[in-house]
Amino acid sequence: MFRKKNNTQESEEHHHDSKVKELKAAIGPLYGRSLQYCSDACLKRYLEARNWNVDKAKKMLEETLKWRSTYRPEEIRWNEIAVEGETGKLFRAGFHDRHGRTVLILRPGMQNTASMDNQMRHLVYLIENAILNLPEGQEQMAWLIDFTGWSLSTSVPIRSARETINILQNHYPERLAIAFLYNPPRIFEAFWKVVKYFLDAKTFQKVKFVYPKNKDSVEVMSSYFDDENLPTEFGGKATLHYDHEEFSKLMIQDDSKSATLWGFDDKLQRAGNGHSGAEVAPEPAS
């Protein structure tokens, strides 16, 4: 039986819809991929991130559109950044949370490269991939962060952490539902004291620390994940196995899906698995 919406819910939805229309009008005509990117759901995420303030949401969205036009995240291909994934420091999990969200697993203790630019491209690629694989009706992803092998000497530089947060908060607003930091070592506190000031209030509320001996924190995590799916590294019962070759095959398949979604030929895909730079696909006709 469908539950009837109460007057408050209907009023709120009407208010949100009117804000979306306001934002559309404020942005003006859009073309090509910018038009495709700016769906009603997208506009709602930017409005939500800015507490439904149209002017602030407009500024935020315009900055993202400018960033996407130069960074071209939808054109990054796996073979350009595959070396970043060799240790499995960041990958899309083969399971979802209880709400059907795509899950990204981050293992910062397995850092294997030094180029911050390529590390950020790898991150952006996986965020785009997580979004590509969201089930219908779900717009958010979950992050699981495993601190095995992490130390201050192997941690990402503060600059990298700041850029990660900048990309996630400013160019993928309301895409993160929750981020669980599982059993970080005590020395992580020093790193966190600096990094947490880069987080806005909304993102800060989504970051949860989980300690195996802290029952409350474990219960919060259990409310998001089924123990049968959750790897033992995060207190669950499943075995976590990252096979770089198999994951690469999966990503190459997804590259074709992404190319179709964005309406351009995946020229690099047809060229094989070399590590040459991607050809820049022309902007589709508007």
Side-chain angles (χ1 to χ4, degrees):
M1 184 71 101
F2 290 105
R3 202 177 277 175
K4 189 177 179 181
K5 292 179 182 176
N6 59 41
N7 291 337
T8 303
Q9 286 176 313
E10 288 182 350
S11 175
E12 188 176 78
E13 283 186 15
H14 178 73
H15 174 69
H16 289 173
D17 288 343
S18 69
K19 288 289 185 181
V20 169
K21 289 177 182 176
E22 273 187 61
L23 181 54
K24 270 185 183 175
I27 293 169
L30 294 169
Y31 306 96
R33 293 181 209 169
S34 291
L35 177 61
Q36 184 177 348
Y37 180 76
C38 292
S39 63
D40 284 4
C42 172
L43 300 186
K44 282 182 180 178
R45 287 193 298 273
Y46 281 80
L47 284 162
E48 176 73 33
R50 290 297 178 260
N51 296 311
W52 299 90
N53 181 305
V54 173
D55 290 338
K56 290 181 179 179
K58 175 177 179 281
K59 182 182 178 185
M60 185 186 198
L61 181 54
E62 286 175 340
E63 288 173 354
T64 292
L65 292 177
K66 183 179 179 182
W67 175 77
R68 291 186 73 90
S69 72
T70 55
Y71 203 88
R72 294 182 178 269
E74 72 280 8
E75 291 185 14
I76 302 171
R77 289 293 169 263
W78 177 249
N79 63 351
E80 298 173 53
I81 43 83
V83 64
E84 296 290 340
E86 288 179 355
T87 59
K89 67 187 177 190
L90 169 60
F91 63 98
R92 175 166 60 83
F95 60 91
H96 295 79
D97 74 358
R98 293 184 188 275
H99 302 277
R101 300 183 183 105
T102 307
V103 178
L104 289 185
I105 292 179
L106 294 82
R107 302 190 285 184
M110 304 185 81
Q111 181 59 266
N112 63 321
T113 61
S115 169
M116 177 178 151
D117 288 345
N118 219 43
Q119 289 166 8
M120 291 303 111
R121 282 172 63 78
H122 181 228
L123 171 72
V124 168
Y125 175 90
L126 266 300
I127 291 176
E128 290 278 327
N129 184 266
I131 294 167
L132 180 71
N133 285 280
L134 286 171
E136 189 174 350
Q138 180 54 261
E139 297 191 340
Q140 294 184 307
M141 58 185 161
W143 285 14
L144 291 176
I145 305 174
D146 172 21
F147 284 89
T148 301
W150 188 92
S151 67
L152 283 177
S153 61
T154 62
S155 72
V156 297
I158 294 293
R159 191 165 62 95
S160 297
R162 185 174 189 170
E163 183 60 14
T164 297
I165 293 166
N166 169 53
I167 289 170
L168 183 65
Q169 287 184 164
N170 296 326
H171 301 312
Y172 295 94
E174 297 304 311
R175 283 300 194 182
L176 180 69
I178 195 82
F180 285 107
L181 281 64
Y182 192 81
N183 203 26
R186 185 174 291 275
I187 54 171
F188 179 74
E189 290 178 15
F191 184 79
W192 177 245
K193 281 180 181 177
V194 177
V195 170
K196 68 180 181 181
Y197 290 106
F198 303 144
L199 298 171
D200 62 29
K202 283 179 177 288
T203 307
F204 185 81
Q205 293 300 318
K206 296 174 182 178
V207 177
K208 307 295 180 186
F209 286 81
V210 181
Y211 298 95
K213 294 180 180 178
N214 183 307
K215 185 181 176 183
D216 290 342
S217 68
V218 171
E219 285 181 355
V220 171
M221 193 166 187
S222 295
S223 70
Y224 282 85
F225 291 96
D226 185 333
D227 283 355
E228 299 298 324
N229 290 333
L230 199 63
T232 54
E233 287 84 349
F234 297 98
K237 298 177 181 178
T239 300
L240 179 63
H241 175 64
Y242 176 77
D243 184 317
H244 184 60
E245 188 174 333
E246 289 303 311
F247 189 73
S248 294
K249 291 177 183 176
L250 191 63
M251 293 302 97
I252 289 168
Q253 290 173 7
D254 281 354
D255 283 350
S256 292
K257 283 165 56 179
S258 177
T260 301
L261 175 69
W262 289 102
F264 58 87
D265 291 332
D266 200 358
K267 296 176 182 177
L268 186 62
Q269 185 69 31
R270 294 200 300 269
N273 295 326
H275 289 271
S276 59
E279 290 185 57
V280 176
E283 195 75 30
S286 54

